[in-house]
Short mmCIF file of all heavy atoms in Angstrom, two decimals:
data_model
loop_
_atom_site.label_atom_id
_atom_site.label_comp_id
_atom_site.label_asym_id
_atom_site.label_seq_id
_atom_site.Cartn_x
_atom_site.Cartn_y
_atom_site.Cartn_z
N ALA A 1286 -15.94 -18.56 -10.05
CA ALA A 1286 -14.59 -18.71 -10.11
C ALA A 1286 -13.92 -17.64 -10.98
O ALA A 1286 -12.70 -17.37 -11.00
CB ALA A 1286 -14.16 -20.09 -10.70
N VAL A 1287 -14.77 -16.99 -11.88
CA VAL A 1287 -14.26 -15.93 -12.79
C VAL A 1287 -13.58 -14.73 -12.02
O VAL A 1287 -12.77 -14.12 -12.46
CB VAL A 1287 -15.37 -15.47 -13.68
CG1 VAL A 1287 -16.42 -14.67 -12.99
CG2 VAL A 1287 -14.80 -14.65 -14.82
N LEU A 1288 -14.13 -14.53 -10.76
CA LEU A 1288 -13.59 -13.44 -9.98
C LEU A 1288 -12.10 -13.66 -9.50
O LEU A 1288 -11.38 -12.77 -9.50
CB LEU A 1288 -14.48 -13.22 -8.70
CG LEU A 1288 -15.86 -12.87 -8.95
CD1 LEU A 1288 -16.58 -12.55 -7.64
CD2 LEU A 1288 -16.00 -11.57 -9.84
N ALA A 1289 -11.84 -14.90 -9.41
CA ALA A 1289 -10.35 -15.28 -9.04
C ALA A 1289 -9.45 -14.98 -10.26
O ALA A 1289 -8.32 -14.81 -10.01
CB ALA A 1289 -10.28 -16.71 -8.53
N GLN A 1290 -10.05 -14.86 -11.45
CA GLN A 1290 -9.13 -14.58 -12.62
C GLN A 1290 -8.98 -13.19 -12.89
O GLN A 1290 -8.25 -12.79 -13.84
CB GLN A 1290 -9.82 -15.27 -13.83
CG GLN A 1290 -10.06 -16.81 -13.57
CD GLN A 1290 -11.09 -17.23 -14.78
OE1 GLN A 1290 -11.20 -16.59 -15.77
NE2 GLN A 1290 -11.70 -18.36 -14.44
N ALA A 1291 -9.66 -12.28 -12.15
CA ALA A 1291 -9.52 -10.88 -12.35
C ALA A 1291 -8.33 -10.26 -11.82
O ALA A 1291 -7.79 -10.67 -10.79
CB ALA A 1291 -10.81 -10.15 -11.86
N ASP A 1292 -7.85 -9.24 -12.53
CA ASP A 1292 -6.70 -8.44 -12.09
C ASP A 1292 -7.14 -7.41 -11.07
O ASP A 1292 -7.57 -6.29 -11.45
CB ASP A 1292 -6.08 -7.80 -13.20
CG ASP A 1292 -4.75 -7.04 -12.96
OD1 ASP A 1292 -4.18 -7.24 -11.84
OD2 ASP A 1292 -4.39 -6.14 -13.78
N GLN A 1293 -7.03 -7.64 -9.80
CA GLN A 1293 -7.46 -6.81 -8.78
C GLN A 1293 -6.62 -6.91 -7.54
O GLN A 1293 -6.03 -7.88 -7.21
CB GLN A 1293 -8.99 -7.11 -8.48
CG GLN A 1293 -9.38 -8.56 -8.11
CD GLN A 1293 -10.70 -8.84 -7.93
OE1 GLN A 1293 -11.56 -7.88 -7.57
NE2 GLN A 1293 -11.21 -9.98 -8.39
N ILE A 1294 -6.69 -5.68 -6.72
CA ILE A 1294 -5.83 -5.62 -5.50
C ILE A 1294 -6.26 -6.74 -4.55
O ILE A 1294 -5.45 -7.50 -3.93
CB ILE A 1294 -5.87 -4.30 -4.95
CG1 ILE A 1294 -5.57 -3.27 -5.81
CG2 ILE A 1294 -5.11 -4.26 -3.60
CD1 ILE A 1294 -5.89 -1.93 -5.21
N GLY A 1295 -7.47 -6.81 -4.24
CA GLY A 1295 -8.04 -7.78 -3.30
C GLY A 1295 -8.08 -7.24 -1.92
O GLY A 1295 -8.91 -7.80 -1.05
N GLY A 1296 -7.35 -6.31 -1.52
CA GLY A 1296 -7.38 -5.78 -0.15
C GLY A 1296 -6.27 -4.76 0.04
O GLY A 1296 -5.46 -4.46 -0.75
N PHE A 1297 -6.24 -4.19 1.28
CA PHE A 1297 -5.32 -3.05 1.74
C PHE A 1297 -4.77 -3.36 3.02
O PHE A 1297 -5.21 -4.14 3.86
CB PHE A 1297 -6.07 -1.73 1.74
CG PHE A 1297 -6.89 -1.40 0.49
CD1 PHE A 1297 -8.11 -1.88 0.24
CD2 PHE A 1297 -6.22 -0.64 -0.54
CE1 PHE A 1297 -8.78 -1.50 -0.94
CE2 PHE A 1297 -6.76 -0.33 -1.67
CZ PHE A 1297 -8.24 -0.80 -1.94
N SER A 1298 -3.65 -2.74 3.34
CA SER A 1298 -3.02 -2.79 4.72
C SER A 1298 -3.46 -1.61 5.48
O SER A 1298 -4.09 -0.64 4.96
CB SER A 1298 -1.47 -2.69 4.50
OG SER A 1298 -1.14 -1.45 3.94
N ASP A 1299 -3.26 -1.71 6.81
CA ASP A 1299 -3.52 -0.52 7.68
C ASP A 1299 -2.80 0.77 7.11
O ASP A 1299 -3.44 1.85 7.02
CB ASP A 1299 -2.85 -0.79 9.03
CG ASP A 1299 -3.67 -1.62 9.94
OD1 ASP A 1299 -4.94 -1.76 9.60
OD2 ASP A 1299 -3.23 -2.26 10.87
N ALA A 1300 -1.47 0.64 6.58
CA ALA A 1300 -0.79 1.80 6.19
C ALA A 1300 -1.36 2.34 4.96
O ALA A 1300 -1.53 3.56 4.80
CB ALA A 1300 0.69 1.38 5.89
N GLN A 1301 -1.86 1.47 3.96
CA GLN A 1301 -2.53 1.94 2.73
C GLN A 1301 -3.84 2.58 3.05
O GLN A 1301 -4.14 3.76 2.50
CB GLN A 1301 -2.73 0.82 1.78
CG GLN A 1301 -1.42 0.26 1.16
CD GLN A 1301 -1.64 -1.03 0.50
OE1 GLN A 1301 -2.51 -1.79 0.81
NE2 GLN A 1301 -0.82 -1.33 -0.57
N LEU A 1302 -4.61 2.18 3.98
CA LEU A 1302 -5.90 2.87 4.29
C LEU A 1302 -5.77 4.18 4.98
O LEU A 1302 -6.37 5.10 4.68
CB LEU A 1302 -6.73 1.89 5.08
CG LEU A 1302 -7.40 0.73 4.36
CD1 LEU A 1302 -8.10 -0.11 5.29
CD2 LEU A 1302 -8.12 1.06 3.09
N THR A 1303 -4.82 4.24 5.92
CA THR A 1303 -4.58 5.48 6.62
C THR A 1303 -3.82 6.47 5.65
O THR A 1303 -4.07 7.64 5.74
CB THR A 1303 -3.72 5.27 7.88
OG1 THR A 1303 -2.52 4.47 7.60
CG2 THR A 1303 -4.48 4.49 8.97
N GLY A 1304 -3.02 5.89 4.69
CA GLY A 1304 -2.39 6.79 3.67
C GLY A 1304 -3.45 7.41 2.81
O GLY A 1304 -3.40 8.59 2.51
N LEU A 1305 -4.52 6.65 2.47
CA LEU A 1305 -5.64 7.25 1.60
C LEU A 1305 -6.38 8.25 2.41
O LEU A 1305 -6.66 9.32 1.87
CB LEU A 1305 -6.51 6.09 1.17
CG LEU A 1305 -7.71 6.48 0.32
CD1 LEU A 1305 -7.28 7.19 -0.92
CD2 LEU A 1305 -8.60 5.18 -0.01
N LEU A 1306 -6.59 8.03 3.68
CA LEU A 1306 -7.24 9.00 4.57
C LEU A 1306 -6.43 10.29 4.56
O LEU A 1306 -7.09 11.35 4.43
CB LEU A 1306 -7.36 8.35 5.96
CG LEU A 1306 -8.19 9.07 6.95
CD1 LEU A 1306 -9.62 8.82 6.71
CD2 LEU A 1306 -7.79 8.55 8.37
N MET A 1307 -5.20 10.16 4.81
CA MET A 1307 -4.35 11.46 4.96
C MET A 1307 -4.29 12.14 3.56
O MET A 1307 -4.14 13.42 3.57
CB MET A 1307 -2.95 11.06 5.48
CG MET A 1307 -3.03 10.48 6.92
SD MET A 1307 -4.02 11.53 8.05
CE MET A 1307 -3.07 12.98 7.97
N ALA A 1308 -4.24 11.40 2.48
CA ALA A 1308 -4.21 11.99 1.13
C ALA A 1308 -5.44 12.91 0.85
O ALA A 1308 -5.30 13.94 0.35
CB ALA A 1308 -4.09 10.93 0.01
N PHE A 1309 -6.56 12.32 1.34
CA PHE A 1309 -7.78 13.21 1.19
C PHE A 1309 -7.70 14.43 1.98
O PHE A 1309 -8.04 15.52 1.52
CB PHE A 1309 -9.08 12.40 1.67
CG PHE A 1309 -9.61 11.44 0.58
CD1 PHE A 1309 -9.74 10.21 0.71
CD2 PHE A 1309 -10.10 12.09 -0.51
CE1 PHE A 1309 -10.29 9.35 -0.23
CE2 PHE A 1309 -10.76 11.34 -1.57
CZ PHE A 1309 -10.79 9.90 -1.37
N ARG A 1310 -7.20 14.35 3.20
CA ARG A 1310 -7.11 15.52 4.16
C ARG A 1310 -6.08 16.48 3.56
O ARG A 1310 -6.24 17.70 3.53
CB ARG A 1310 -6.68 15.06 5.58
CG ARG A 1310 -7.77 14.28 6.24
CD ARG A 1310 -7.31 13.95 7.70
NE ARG A 1310 -8.47 13.20 8.34
CZ ARG A 1310 -8.48 12.92 9.60
NH1 ARG A 1310 -7.35 13.18 10.35
NH2 ARG A 1310 -9.46 12.26 10.15
N SER A 1311 -5.00 16.02 2.97
CA SER A 1311 -4.03 16.83 2.31
C SER A 1311 -4.55 17.60 1.16
O SER A 1311 -4.13 18.71 0.67
CB SER A 1311 -2.76 16.09 1.88
OG SER A 1311 -2.15 15.48 3.02
N ASP A 1312 -5.64 16.98 0.50
CA ASP A 1312 -6.26 17.59 -0.72
C ASP A 1312 -7.36 18.50 -0.39
O ASP A 1312 -8.05 19.00 -1.17
CB ASP A 1312 -6.73 16.54 -1.65
CG ASP A 1312 -6.91 16.91 -3.04
OD1 ASP A 1312 -5.96 17.74 -3.55
OD2 ASP A 1312 -7.76 16.66 -3.70
N GLY A 1313 -7.55 18.77 0.92
CA GLY A 1313 -8.54 19.76 1.45
C GLY A 1313 -9.97 19.12 1.85
O GLY A 1313 -10.88 19.85 2.25
N PHE A 1314 -10.06 17.83 1.85
CA PHE A 1314 -11.28 17.20 2.34
C PHE A 1314 -11.14 16.76 3.79
O PHE A 1314 -10.03 16.60 4.30
CB PHE A 1314 -11.52 15.86 1.47
CG PHE A 1314 -11.77 16.16 0.04
CD1 PHE A 1314 -10.83 16.14 -0.90
CD2 PHE A 1314 -13.03 16.23 -0.36
CE1 PHE A 1314 -11.06 16.21 -2.20
CE2 PHE A 1314 -13.34 16.42 -1.79
CZ PHE A 1314 -12.31 16.42 -2.63
N ASP A 1315 -12.28 16.66 4.37
CA ASP A 1315 -12.22 15.95 5.72
C ASP A 1315 -12.48 14.46 5.50
O ASP A 1315 -13.31 14.08 4.50
CB ASP A 1315 -13.45 16.40 6.59
CG ASP A 1315 -13.30 17.87 7.09
OD1 ASP A 1315 -12.02 18.24 7.34
OD2 ASP A 1315 -14.19 18.63 7.31
N ALA A 1316 -11.73 13.58 6.16
CA ALA A 1316 -11.91 12.16 5.95
C ALA A 1316 -11.75 11.44 7.28
O ALA A 1316 -11.00 11.81 8.09
CB ALA A 1316 -10.86 11.75 4.87
N PHE A 1317 -12.53 10.32 7.34
CA PHE A 1317 -12.64 9.57 8.65
C PHE A 1317 -12.62 8.10 8.25
O PHE A 1317 -13.34 7.66 7.22
CB PHE A 1317 -13.94 9.94 9.37
CG PHE A 1317 -14.05 11.44 9.45
CD1 PHE A 1317 -14.79 12.14 8.60
CD2 PHE A 1317 -13.48 12.11 10.56
CE1 PHE A 1317 -14.90 13.51 8.62
CE2 PHE A 1317 -13.67 13.46 10.71
CZ PHE A 1317 -14.40 14.16 9.78
N LEU A 1318 -11.91 7.32 8.99
CA LEU A 1318 -12.00 5.85 8.91
C LEU A 1318 -13.07 5.34 9.85
O LEU A 1318 -13.10 5.48 10.97
CB LEU A 1318 -10.69 5.18 9.27
CG LEU A 1318 -10.32 3.72 8.91
CD1 LEU A 1318 -10.43 3.55 7.40
CD2 LEU A 1318 -8.99 3.36 9.45
N LEU A 1319 -14.04 4.57 9.29
CA LEU A 1319 -15.13 4.13 10.17
C LEU A 1319 -15.31 2.60 10.15
O LEU A 1319 -15.03 1.91 9.12
CB LEU A 1319 -16.44 4.67 9.55
CG LEU A 1319 -16.65 6.14 9.23
CD1 LEU A 1319 -17.93 6.52 8.64
CD2 LEU A 1319 -16.45 6.92 10.64
N PRO A 1320 -15.75 1.97 11.26
CA PRO A 1320 -15.92 0.60 11.37
C PRO A 1320 -17.26 0.24 10.72
O PRO A 1320 -18.11 0.97 10.51
CB PRO A 1320 -15.91 0.35 12.86
CG PRO A 1320 -16.52 1.68 13.43
CD PRO A 1320 -15.95 2.71 12.66
N GLN A 1321 -17.30 -1.06 10.41
CA GLN A 1321 -18.52 -1.60 9.89
C GLN A 1321 -19.25 -2.35 11.03
O GLN A 1321 -18.65 -2.76 12.06
CB GLN A 1321 -18.40 -2.57 8.84
CG GLN A 1321 -17.91 -2.00 7.42
CD GLN A 1321 -18.12 -2.99 6.30
OE1 GLN A 1321 -18.30 -4.15 6.52
NE2 GLN A 1321 -17.94 -2.48 5.08
N ASP A 1322 -20.59 -2.46 10.88
CA ASP A 1322 -21.29 -3.45 11.81
C ASP A 1322 -20.74 -4.74 11.65
O ASP A 1322 -20.68 -5.34 10.58
CB ASP A 1322 -22.83 -3.33 11.43
CG ASP A 1322 -23.73 -4.19 12.30
OD1 ASP A 1322 -23.15 -5.11 12.86
OD2 ASP A 1322 -24.95 -3.94 12.35
N PRO A 1323 -20.32 -5.43 12.84
CA PRO A 1323 -19.75 -6.74 12.65
C PRO A 1323 -20.63 -7.81 12.06
O PRO A 1323 -20.22 -8.79 11.63
CB PRO A 1323 -19.36 -7.05 14.08
CG PRO A 1323 -20.17 -6.25 14.99
CD PRO A 1323 -20.33 -4.98 14.11
N ASP A 1324 -21.96 -7.54 12.08
CA ASP A 1324 -22.86 -8.50 11.49
C ASP A 1324 -23.04 -8.41 9.96
O ASP A 1324 -23.78 -9.23 9.34
CB ASP A 1324 -24.32 -8.31 12.11
CG ASP A 1324 -24.34 -8.76 13.54
OD1 ASP A 1324 -23.44 -9.69 13.94
OD2 ASP A 1324 -25.05 -8.24 14.33
#
């Protein structure tokens, strides 16, 4: 239960994740959004 007391985001939206992806590209990196194994 201590984790529920922590000051943390907890998750992201589609827009936030794609925004982070594009920020990396704007900074000169290659960046890709990848799926996880569903298992």
Side-chain angles (χ1 to χ4, degrees):
V1287 71
L1288 297 182
Q1290 303 167 22
D1292 182 18
Q1293 51 189 327
I1294 302 170
F1297 303 89
S1298 66
D1299 283 336
Q1301 289 170 329
L1302 291 179
T1303 54
L1305 179 56
L1306 188 78
M1307 296 311 297
F1309 274 120
R1310 292 184 177 184
S1311 296
D1312 205 40
F1314 295 91
D1315 289 327
F1317 312 90
L1318 195 61
L1319 304 178
Q1321 286 195 350
D1322 182 332
D1324 291 330

